[in-house]
C-alpha cells in the first residue's frame, strides 16, 4: 500500500526582538497638475489623516506610511543616520555621496521623518514618513498556541495632524510612490523568560483605511 499526502500547517514564530516588514509592491500616486498644486500650496494651512486600523493577527506594533519619489523603501530606514554612504550604496545599489537625515524627534534622534539622498550636491531622491501609528493585537488570542480568532479583531481609530512640509510631499505635480512599514513588537511574554508563539494563518490580515482632510485659507 502506498500513496502521497499533503500536510498544510501554519507557521509559529517567537520574536525576541521587533521585526519590520515592508511589502514588495508599492502604490503609485500620479502628480497633480501644476496650477492646482500651486493654488493649494499657496493657501494651505494644514491637514489631518484619519486612520482606521483593523488587526486580524496575533501580533501588535505600529504602522508607518512612507512616501518617496523613488521605489526604494528599505526596512532599515530609521537607522540610516548612522550608516556610511558606502554601506548605503552597497545595500541599496545606489550611487550617492551624502544623505540628510531628519528625525521625527531631533532631541531623541528617533525614527526618520525624512531622508534625502544626494549626489554632487543634487538630490537624487527622498523617503518621508507621513504618519506613524500603533495598532493593538486581535481581541481574542490563544497565547499557548499563538492563534488569533479573525472574528474578534483589534480595532484602532486615530487622527494625525500633518504639517505643510509633509503635505508638500503629497500635493505636487510630480509622481509619488507610497508604501507601508509594519513593525511587529516582540512576542508576548508568558513569564519573565518565556516568549509566547505567534502563529500566522491565511486568515490573518492588517487592514488600514485612511483619508486626508485639508485646511485652506482662501
Amino acid at each position: 500500500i502506498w500513496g502521497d499526502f499533503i500536510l498544510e500547517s501554519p507557521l509559529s514564530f517567537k520574536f525576541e526582538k521587533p521585526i519590520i516588514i515592508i511589502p514588495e509592491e508599492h502604490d503609485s500616486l500620479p502628480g497633480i497638475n501644476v496650477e492646482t498644486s500651486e493654488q493649494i500650496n499657496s493657501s494651505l494651512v494644514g491637514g489631518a489623516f484619519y486612520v482606521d486600523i483593523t488587526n486580524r493577527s496575533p501580533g501588535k506594533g505600529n504602522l508607518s506610511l512612507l512616501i518617496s519619489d523613488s521605489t526604494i523603501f528599505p526596512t532599515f530606514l530609521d537607522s540610516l543616520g548612522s550608516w556610511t554612504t558606502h554601506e548605503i550604496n552597497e545595500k541599496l545599489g545606489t550611487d550617492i555621496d551624502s544623505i540628510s537625515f531628519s528625525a521625527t524627534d531631533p532631541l531623541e534622534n528617533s525614527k526618520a521623518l525624512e531622508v534625502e539622498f544626494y549626489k554632487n550636491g543634487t538630490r537624487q531622491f527622498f523617503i518621508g514618513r507621513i504618519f506613524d501609528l500603533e495598532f493593538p493585537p486581535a481581541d481574542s488570542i490563544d497565547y499557548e498556541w499563538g492563534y488569533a480568532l479573525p472574528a474578534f479583531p483589534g480595532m484602532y481609530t486615530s487622527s494625525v495632524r500633518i504639517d505643510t512640509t509633509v503635505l508638500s510631499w503629497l500635493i505636487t505635480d510630480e509622481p509619488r510612490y507610497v508604501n507601508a512599514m509594519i513593525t511587529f513588537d516582540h512576542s508576548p511574554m508568558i513569564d519573565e523568560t518565556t516568549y509566547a508563539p505567534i502563529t500566522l494563518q491565511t486568515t490573518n490580515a492588517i487592514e488600514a483605511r485612511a483619508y486626508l482632510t485639508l485646511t485652506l485659507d482662501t
Side-chain angles (χ1 to χ4, degrees):
I1 297 174
W2 62 275
D4 297 324
F5 71 91
I6 297 174
L7 174 64
E8 294 185 356
S9 176
L11 292 175
S12 295
F13 301 91
K14 292 183 179 180
F15 301 122
E16 295 185 4
K17 296 180 179 180
I19 183 171
I20 299 174
I21 297 175
I22 294 182
E24 183 177 355
E25 296 184 1
H26 55 267
D27 292 320
S28 300
L29 296 177
I32 305 172
N33 71 69
V34 176
E35 182 179 353
T36 302
S37 62
E38 289 180 350
Q39 288 178 343
I40 295 175
N41 284 318
S42 64
S43 58
L44 187 61
V45 176
F49 259 107
Y50 294 86
V51 186
D52 294 328
I53 299 176
T54 302
N55 185 7
R56 305 182 190 276
S57 79
K60 68 181 184 69
N62 66 278
L63 169 70
S64 292
L65 184 62
L66 306 180
I67 187 169
S68 179
D69 51 359
S70 81
T71 58
I72 297 175
F73 293 98
T75 56
F76 44 86
L77 175 69
D78 294 327
S79 62
L80 283 176
S82 61
W83 286 45
T84 66
T85 54
H86 173 74
E87 291 172 327
I88 294 173
N89 288 328
E90 187 177 55
K91 194 72 173 178
L92 298 181
T94 53
D95 182 23
I96 56 138
D97 54 28
S98 65
I99 69 167
S100 174
F101 185 95
S102 300
T104 53
D105 187 344
L107 297 179
E108 297 183 1
N109 193 27
S110 56
K111 297 179 179 180
L113 174 63
E114 182 181 17
V115 182
E116 299 174 287
F117 301 80
Y118 290 90
K119 175 71 173 181
N120 297 326
T122 302
R123 191 174 82 170
Q124 304 299 300
F125 64 97
F126 82 97
I127 304 172
R129 176 180 262 111
I130 297 178
F131 62 73
D132 182 68
L133 292 175
E134 294 184 357
F135 59 84
D139 283 347
S140 181
I141 299 176
D142 182 338
Y143 283 106
E144 180 179 1
W145 298 101
Y147 291 102
L149 299 180
F152 302 96
M155 305 185 71
Y156 180 81
T157 301
S158 182
S159 62
V160 183
R161 297 296 303 176
I162 306 295
D163 62 25
T164 55
T165 299
V166 174
L167 289 172
S168 66
W169 302 338
L170 286 163
I171 305 170
T172 175
D173 59 313
E174 299 178 357
R176 291 286 186 257
Y177 306 95
V178 294
N179 209 336
M181 174 186 283
I182 303 170
T183 303
F184 286 105
D185 294 343
H186 63 71
S187 300
M189 300 292 294
I190 298 177
D191 53 44
E192 294 183 356
T193 59
T194 307
Y195 289 89
I198 292 179
T199 301
L200 302 181
Q201 304 168 272
T202 56
T203 54
N204 294 155
I206 297 176
E207 304 162 1
R209 180 176 60 181
Y211 64 93
L212 173 68
T213 64
L214 300 177
T215 303
L216 305 177
D217 182 3
T218 57

